[in-house]
Amino acid sequence: MFAFLKSIVLGAALAFILSLFIGSGGGTGGPLNVRSYTIEEVQFFWSWPLFVIGTGLSFGILLLMD
């Protein structure tokens, strides 16, 4: 259970960092679907498919480490 909670944090960090680089370059990442969101005049980029992929990857790695 803790491996899954850790992987959510790692997946979010991966999605945020990669979306930042892809989105600031003006691309959408194709099937990654990077979108720009604005909350309270703060703009950031996010990708749900990238979050799911990153969470699954980190969950698998954390399970293999146990």
Side-chain angles (χ1 to χ4, degrees):
M1 181 65 181
F2 288 112
F4 182 67
L5 295 176
K6 290 178 191 178
S7 66
I8 289 175
V9 174
L10 293 173
L14 178 74
F16 180 74
I17 292 170
L18 287 179
S19 295
L20 177 69
F21 285 112
I22 294 171
S24 64
T28 61
L32 294 178
N33 199 16
V34 176
R35 297 287 179 212
S36 172
Y37 294 99
T38 304
I39 297 176
E40 294 290 329
E41 299 180 6
V42 176
Q43 180 185 10
F44 66 96
F45 297 97
W46 186 254
S47 169
W48 283 109
L50 193 55
F51 171 71
V52 171
I53 292 168
T55 301
L57 180 65
S58 61
F59 183 62
I61 291 172
L62 288 173
L63 282 180
L64 287 174
M65 289 175 59
D66 282 341

